[in-house]
Amino acid sequence: MNKRILTLVLVVMAMVVLSALPAAAQDDVFRVAAVAPSATNDLAFSQSMYKALTMLDEEMGDGFDFVFQENTFVVDDAAVALREWASSGEYDLIIAHGSQYGSIIEELAPEFPEVSFAWGTDVNTYGLDNVFAYTAAADQGGYLNGAMAAYMSESGTIGVVGPIEVGDAKLYIDGFVAGAQAVNPDVQVLVNYIQSFSDVPLATEAANTFVANGADILTGSAQMVVGPIAVAKENGLLWFGTQASQAELAEGAGVMFQVYRWDTILRDMIEKIQGGTLGGEAYTLTLANGGLQMVMGQAGG
Amino acid sequence: MIENILAPSVFATCLRLATPYLFAAIGEMFGQRSGVLNLGVEGIMLMGAFFAHYVVLSTGSLLLGVIGALIAGLVMGIAVAFVNVTLKAEQGISGIGVYLFGLGMSELLFKTLVGTPRSVSGFPPLHIPVLSDIQFLGIGQIFFQHNLLVYVAFALVPISAYVLRRTPLGLMIRAVGQNPEAADAMGISVTRVRYMTVIFGAMMAGLAGASLSIALLNVFQQNLTSGLGFIAIALVYFGRWRPFGVMLGALLFSFVNALQLQISAIGIDVPSEFAVMAPYVITIIALVFASKQTEKPTALTKPFDRGE
């Protein structure tokens, strides 16, 4: 008799445990997993997303949780993490923060139709209704930065240290050049794409070379700009930034920064997912929708 | 046009770019001359760069920063020597381990202790009196307006050549790298010599890191060296295990790099992909036509066994 009761209790317990397992994603906590190519403290692309998730975490308290895998520049490594997260069924939203991850999302999303994915920077949802795409109209802040820079430049020469001529870096730099030329058609904007997002030594010497050639203002995009920022400070030049605020590092040199506010679109995605819509939409951060913000540095007055 | 491309600042940039390579490659050369290949230079450079930067950030003392980098190199060097010399590990594999350790550890420490990229006031340019004012061909600007570590790096070249060629210590190092059995029979401790060269090499790698984080760049960021350490190892082969050869390689590579930066800076429209490739391509071509007369240590990567 006792044995039967014991068996019954065990069976009931097992059923409770088993039924609770797949329900993990349906509890009250909204769980996000994100992968990014560089460090969460890169003062640039990855930090902008990390900061957005941290903001949501503070806002939503116990109702929000996220994991963040940084420094995953290699696409294959990101693919492993993304697949693991998707198959665990524990996450309400999986973010692939880097345009190089597109092909993984295209492959993974149809396999896990009940999981919501977001990736950027791009506008391509691959026609899948569980994929969000997001990008930033970085040319808008670039234009403002460029116009301001041309207005402030005394030597008439501005140096731009770019990474690889793609994505939001290219948008920003194209916008910057257009803005500068709109204010002063004679201004010389020298652009050097150093073919790397992370090579600080090379970015530094690129900036030094601009200084030697008369530049009095520098700008650039990607995480290697910490080098050029130090060059601007040491030589008494002005610095314009993008992606995240670099005001603290660029103390005394930083004029204006274009900051990505991914939190604005993440809030909308969370609302949609909670309402049962898992994707199918492409977002663009702009100055008009508040997704892009201009932040003044000390040197901006 | 040509005088724009070959402005004095280009040569000055070249000397600055060559500095971390010189420290790392000359140090590595000593290890290799005694028969030990340390593929972990990059990781040690990162540790040196981090500690130099962190110490300067906390104390403001550049001297302590340099000492911090040397100690970081010393500790890593003892570990490398222990693994490769005492435990006789496969040198190609263990070096990758050292690199990955340095990469991860420097990043972890950076994140925990510093948090976000911060700049320090590093070694300022020293304008050497009289010499730095020479206008002729821009010689003053090219050679005599650099920070202290640039001069130290170039001073290291003739000193190393002298030690290697003309001193008993140099003879011992070469003997251990060429024919450890014979050296051992002569009463030279192969183990002790290899420990010495590997540890010295690691300390120089630490200094190479410091030359970036507290002299040339004055910031630290995860993976700051981005492959410089591996190029330094290639330069040892390029230089045929001779200090002046290593310097020549470092200068050639840095000069082409400085040139491509200048070409973009003065607005000449060359596809940047080609410009960035150029230093590597030209270095490889130079390597093909370089003297085949080699001083490659015959015992390189071979652990020594007394066979007792």
Side-chain angles (χ1 to χ4, degrees):
Chain A
M1 187 64 186
N2 274 348
K3 259 188 187 166
R4 265 193 205 167
I5 292 174
L6 190 67
T7 314
L8 196 66
V9 168
L10 283 175
V11 167
V12 170
M13 272 170 66
M15 280 168 70
V16 168
V17 170
L18 285 175
S19 66
L21 275 181
Q26 274 97 53
D27 63 11
D28 292 342
V29 182
F30 193 91
R31 288 178 217 278
V32 178
V35 62
S38 49
T40 54
N41 56 358
D42 68 352
L43 290 181
F45 187 67
S46 298
Q47 180 161 336
S48 67
M49 178 53 81
Y50 185 75
K51 202 176 168 200
L53 290 168
T54 314
M55 277 173 78
L56 291 175
D57 197 27
E58 278 164 19
E59 265 171 44
M60 296 169 65
D62 291 340
F64 187 85
D65 202 8
F66 74 98
V67 293
F68 200 98
Q69 181 171 318
E70 57 182 338
N71 293 324
T72 315
F73 190 76
V74 178
V75 173
D76 287 345
D77 296 342
V80 173
L82 290 166
R83 176 168 290 279
E84 213 163 275
W85 290 331
S87 53
S88 77
E90 279 178 36
Y91 297 99
D92 302 281
L93 173 63
I94 293 173
I95 302 173
H97 190 53
S99 42
Q100 66 264 53
Y101 306 139
S103 56
I104 315 174
I105 297 301
E106 189 180 12
E107 187 189 308
L108 212 55
E111 260 183 73
F112 298 93
E114 75 289 358
V115 179
S116 176
F117 295 89
W119 81 288
T121 52
D122 207 296
V123 290
N124 192 352
T125 61
Y126 301 110
L128 297 166
D129 51 16
N130 62 331
V131 174
F132 292 108
Y134 58 83
T135 188
D139 49 327
Q140 298 187 352
Y143 191 93
L144 291 182
N145 271 355
M148 181 82 111
Y151 178 74
M152 292 175 83
S153 175
E154 283 166 16
S155 70
T157 303
I158 299 169
V160 185
V161 185
I164 295 173
E165 206 170 348
V166 291
D168 64 327
K170 178 175 163 48
L171 276 179
Y172 171 76
I173 292 169
D174 289 350
F176 187 95
V177 173
Q181 277 163 356
V183 166
N184 177 5
D186 297 328
V187 76
Q188 229 190 342
V189 185
L190 304 167
V191 182
N192 188 358
Y193 283 101
I194 64 163
Q195 302 302 317
S196 164
F197 291 92
S198 58
D199 194 334
V200 180
L202 192 61
T204 302
E205 284 309 332
N208 277 325
T209 306
F210 285 135
V211 176
N213 285 284
D216 62 350
I217 291 181
L218 296 175
T219 188
S221 180
Q223 68 265 30
M224 49 54 179
V225 297
V226 296
I229 291 175
V231 171
K233 278 171 78 168
E234 276 157 33
N235 294 281
L237 272 61
L238 297 175
W239 171 261
F240 288 78
T242 184
Q243 294 184 321
S245 171
Q246 299 138 354
E248 207 180 318
L249 175 64
E251 191 190 355
V255 180
M256 198 154 71
F257 302 92
Q258 167 171 250
V259 177
Y260 294 175
R261 294 288 308 268
W262 301 117
D263 55 299
T264 57
I265 56 165
L266 286 175
R267 279 193 202 92
D268 195 67
M269 283 182 207
I270 291 172
E271 212 169 286
K272 285 214 168 73
I273 293 167
Q274 283 170 338
T277 308
L278 297 182
E281 191 166 337
Y283 296 90
T284 301
L285 301 184
T286 64
L287 289 167
N289 68 22
L292 295 176
Q293 225 175 30
M294 302 310 287
V295 173
M296 300 304 281
Q298 286 174 328
Chain B
M1 187 68 152
I2 280 292
E3 64 267 28
N4 275 341
I5 295 177
L6 295 176
S9 66
V10 175
F11 295 94
T13 301
C14 165
L15 298 191
R16 280 199 305 270
L17 281 170
T19 297
Y21 293 129
L22 281 180
F23 280 123
I26 295 278
E28 172 74 10
M29 184 205 68
F30 273 98
Q32 292 197 13
R33 282 307 280 265
S34 76
V36 184
L37 169 73
N38 177 8
L39 269 185
V41 177
E42 174 93 352
I44 303 171
M45 281 176 76
L46 281 166
M47 291 295 275
F50 170 75
F51 275 102
H53 188 259
Y54 180 61
V55 169
V56 172
L57 207 55
S58 355
T59 66
S61 161
L62 292 170
L63 178 67
L64 288 180
V66 167
I67 293 173
L70 289 173
I71 293 174
L74 176 87
V75 173
M76 296 281 285
I78 291 172
V80 171
F82 180 70
V83 168
N84 288 332
V85 181
T86 306
L87 300 182
K88 302 182 170 65
E90 187 66 54
Q91 291 169 11
I93 310 289
S94 70
I96 300 296
V98 172
Y99 159 56
L100 291 173
F101 172 82
L103 177 68
M105 187 49 98
S106 61
E107 191 186 329
L108 178 69
L109 290 170
F110 173 58
K111 207 165 229 189
T112 327
L113 298 173
V114 184
T116 179
R118 289 168 63 186
S119 61
V120 294
S121 40
F123 283 95
L126 292 176
H127 290 248
I128 295 179
V130 187
L131 292 176
S132 66
D133 296 328
I134 301 175
Q135 296 295 320
F136 180 66
L137 293 176
I139 281 172
Q141 189 190 348
I142 295 172
F143 294 108
F144 301 112
Q145 299 182 6
H146 291 288
N147 70 67
L148 182 64
L149 293 187
V150 176
Y151 301 121
V152 174
F154 279 91
L156 203 56
V157 176
I159 295 172
S160 311
Y162 178 78
V163 169
L164 215 50
R165 279 265 146 233
R166 306 250 178 261
T167 64
L169 177 66
L171 186 65
M172 271 202 283
I173 293 170
R174 285 183 287 137
V176 164
Q178 287 299 345
N179 194 338
E181 288 78 13
D184 183 58
M186 301 267 295
I188 300 171
S189 165
V190 174
T191 304
R192 191 193 300 162
V193 169
R194 287 185 173 174
Y195 259 80
M196 245 164 47
T197 55
V198 168
I199 291 171
F200 173 76
M203 289 171 80
M204 287 305 104
L207 204 51
S211 76
L212 292 170
S213 68
I214 62 171
L216 297 167
L217 316 177
N218 299 329
V219 288
F220 185 86
Q221 195 186 46
Q222 51 108 11
N223 193 21
L224 184 78
T225 49
S226 50
L228 283 174
F230 290 104
I231 292 173
I233 295 171
L235 288 173
V236 177
Y237 282 77
F238 182 93
R240 305 272 148 192
W241 295 270
R242 284 178 296 216
F244 282 100
V246 168
M247 184 178 82
L248 197 70
L251 285 175
L252 175 70
F253 186 77
S254 304
F255 178 68
V256 182
N257 235 327
L259 206 58
Q260 65 100 350
L261 293 173
Q262 177 72 359
I263 286 171
S264 318
I266 58 177
I268 298 176
D269 204 12
V270 177
S272 54
E273 289 84 354
F274 286 109
V276 172
M277 252 192 291
Y280 299 90
V281 172
I282 288 171
T283 307
I284 290 169
I285 292 171
L287 199 50
V288 170
F289 290 105
S291 144
K292 292 292 184 290
Q293 181 210 341
T294 171
E295 295 198 34
K296 183 174 183 179
T298 41
L300 186 58
T301 75
K302 294 190 188 104
F304 175 62
D305 217 325
R306 290 188 88 171
E308 285 167 340

